[in-house]
Amino acid sequence: MKRIPAAVAILFILTLSCTWTGRKATAPAQEPQQKKDTVFPLGFCTDSFRVVDGKVPEGATFSGLMGSLGLSGEDTYKLIQASDSFFDVRKFRAGNSWKAFYEDSTSLKYLVYQENRVRSIVFQCRDSLAAWPYDKEVIHQEKVADVTINSSLWVDMLEAGASPLIIVELADIYAWTVDFFGLQKGDRFRVLYHQDVCEEEVFRITDVEYAVFSRGDKDAHALYFDQGDGGNKYWNEKGESMRKAFLKAPLKFTRISSGFTYHRLHPVHGVVRPHTAIDYAAPTGTPVMSIGDGTVISRGWAGGGGNTVKIRHNSVYTTSYMHLSKYAAGLKVGDRVHQGQVIGYVGMTGTATGPHLDFRVYKNGTPINPLTMEAPSGDPIQEQYKPALDSLYRLRSRKLDSLLTWKPVL
């Protein structure tokens, strides 16, 4: 009998051992894992319903809409009570979207009302009546913008990758310092600010920490600092208020159609006359604001000037607003008005070739150019806050410079 070589025998034994061990070590089939609970953002699964959607019509009420969708007045009242801690039916707005979810052709199960860009209100209309708010995710971002005027602030802001919403904030901050109707090519804005984004869309500028407007070699700094008195919150680097006695212009975002001159060919009469005013072309109905606190000394028809309002601001300055389509409701001679208060609306009453505001400023009874008028500043920052403002200014300016010059490492 031939003997099996030792090496072959060992190999045979190891093969059997491995085969047996592998079979013995095989784990039993695992039981399938339980399915996790599905989370529905609105609080219910929307897939199994018939959906009807629309927008709130002009003059509609919450009760009226619910009634038109098939809900009884009694159940509507219960839903109003269920939601009164987070939803005010008096703020039910025309133009807002809604979606109704039906279990069949007539049984309204849910209504989702979009209150604003972020929040919706969900109403459960059958079984147990209930209501709850649903808020979309909001991302808070710190941003910087560096925009040099080439064509227009709006276009250049977009090309710089910034939201045009920042323009409104800048217009408010620099309303007493920068003439936004007279921006020139080469003017520059640098801004450090925060914004809120919902579904990849910027819907709100939350605050502007610091901004610099540059024209030539001159810079106008604006720093946010709240000294807790409820008043001005923006200051320059010296602690002077950004708020002046007068706004730079009495209406927002339009163009100058005619400037201040003593020799203008009149567009209607065809003769050369002085035009001691600034004409702002704007659509009929554009709100017109008083550039400063004052008292209404005239409200009425002024011949070629049409509907006109005159305001005396102090013993030195008076302003005039002409060609108005109508006056602000309730405005009358003797009324005290405040800076930024709407006193009328753009029109073309009197002698005018198109809708515009004829705006005039008188200093001691003599007309002056509103665009070159130097308005006095408001009160400076309180003395005890000057060191803190100075430190914050240096911190913010360094931060803005570093963020604008920083480049990611690729």
Side-chain angles (χ1 to χ4, degrees):
M1 183 174 171
K2 252 180 170 180
R3 296 182 63 185
I4 299 174
V8 175
I10 292 171
L11 181 61
F12 178 72
I13 293 169
L14 287 174
T15 301
L16 288 175
S17 174
C18 289
T19 304
W20 172 253
T21 302
R23 289 174 181 170
K24 187 177 182 181
T26 301
Q30 293 183 355
E31 295 181 5
Q33 293 181 351
Q34 290 185 351
K35 190 176 180 180
K36 293 183 179 179
D37 292 336
T38 304
V39 176
F40 301 111
L42 291 173
F44 65 96
C45 178
T46 60
D47 295 344
S48 59
F49 295 95
R50 181 176 68 89
V51 181
V52 177
D53 59 15
K55 293 185 180 297
V56 177
E58 199 70 40
T61 64
F62 178 73
S63 299
L65 175 65
M66 297 304 281
S68 69
L69 296 175
L71 198 67
S72 69
E74 181 181 357
D75 285 347
T76 298
Y77 178 71
K78 290 178 181 178
L79 287 176
I80 292 173
Q81 289 183 310
S83 62
D84 64 357
S85 62
F86 50 83
F87 174 63
D88 185 351
V89 293
R90 293 172 298 180
K91 296 180 180 179
F92 191 64
R93 289 194 176 94
N96 285 12
S97 299
W98 56 265
K99 283 187 178 181
F101 297 82
Y102 289 88
E103 286 185 315
D104 51 47
S105 59
T106 59
S107 300
L108 178 65
K109 179 69 173 180
Y110 297 100
L111 174 82
V112 179
Y113 168 69
Q114 188 172 328
E115 188 173 21
N116 53 47
R117 185 70 181 79
V118 174
R119 170 161 287 196
S120 295
I121 310 299
V122 183
F123 298 94
Q124 183 171 300
C125 306
R126 288 194 63 194
D127 304 326
S128 57
L129 298 174
W132 58 88
Y134 163 66
D135 293 333
K136 298 175 184 175
E137 182 185 14
V138 176
I139 299 173
H140 307 282
Q141 298 176 335
E142 181 180 65
K143 301 287 288 183
V144 290
D146 188 353
V147 181
T148 299
I149 303 300
N150 183 51
S151 56
S152 74
L153 182 55
W154 183 275
V155 171
D156 295 326
M157 190 70 73
L158 283 173
E159 290 182 351
S163 169
L165 292 178
I166 192 65
I167 296 175
V168 178
E169 303 297 323
L170 291 174
D172 287 340
I173 293 168
Y174 284 105
W176 298 268
T177 309
V178 177
D179 178 15
F180 275 73
F181 309 110
L183 291 175
Q184 302 172 8
K185 189 173 183 177
D187 288 350
R188 181 186 182 193
F189 285 98
R190 286 165 287 163
V191 196
L192 174 63
Y193 64 100
H194 293 85
Q195 66 185 20
D196 284 346
V197 178
C198 181
E199 296 180 327
E200 300 184 352
E201 181 180 336
V202 178
F203 71 94
R204 179 171 59 209
I205 304 298
T206 54
D207 62 80
V208 175
E209 290 186 357
Y210 177 61
V212 185
F213 170 74
S214 303
R215 172 172 289 174
D217 59 355
K218 293 183 179 180
D219 293 335
H221 301 263
L223 177 68
Y224 180 90
F225 186 93
D226 187 356
Q227 59 182 1
D229 61 355
N232 175 60
K233 294 180 176 61
Y234 283 95
W235 319 86
N236 66 15
E237 73 279 15
K238 299 176 184 177
E240 298 169 340
S241 173
M242 294 298 291
R243 178 182 285 270
K244 307 291 184 181
F246 299 130
L247 296 172
K248 289 295 278 186
L251 70 173
K252 292 185 177 181
F253 304 111
T254 184
R255 64 183 177 85
I256 294 175
S257 57
S258 185
F260 186 98
T261 178
Y262 285 94
H263 300 87
R264 184 187 75 152
L265 181 65
H266 196 281
V268 175
H269 300 295
V271 295
V272 175
R273 291 182 178 179
H275 184 256
T276 54
I278 297 295
D279 284 352
Y280 292 106
T284 297
T286 301
V288 175
M289 303 173 290
S290 172
I291 65 165
D293 296 348
T295 302
V296 178
I297 59 173
S298 175
R299 172 199 175 279
W301 187 262
N307 295 327
T308 300
V309 173
K310 288 186 178 180
I311 297 172
R312 179 185 294 117
H313 300 282
N314 50 36
S315 60
V316 177
Y317 291 99
T318 299
T319 54
S320 173
Y321 312 79
M322 304 168 70
H323 303 304
L324 302 174
S325 60
K326 61 179 180 178
Y327 309 106
L331 187 75
K332 60 184 183 301
V333 173
D335 281 354
R336 183 71 179 168
V337 295
H338 303 288
Q339 187 179 72
Q341 180 177 331
V342 174
I343 51 134
Y345 301 87
V346 169
M348 53 182 296
T349 55
T351 304
T353 57
H356 72 283
L357 174 71
D358 180 305
F359 174 61
R360 304 180 183 229
V361 177
Y362 300 88
K363 183 177 182 180
N364 294 319
T366 301
I368 62 172
N369 188 343
L371 299 182
T372 59
M373 176 179 60
E374 291 293 334
S377 298
D379 294 333
I381 196 167
Q382 297 175 30
E383 195 67 31
Q384 68 265 32
Y385 294 119
K386 282 186 176 180
L389 181 76
D390 183 60
S391 297
L392 190 61
Y393 164 68
R394 286 185 276 111
L395 177 67
R396 291 281 185 264
S397 59
R398 285 197 299 266
K399 183 177 181 179
L400 178 63
D401 289 341
S402 65
L403 289 174
L404 288 175
T405 56
W406 178 83
K407 287 183 173 36
V409 178
L410 300 178

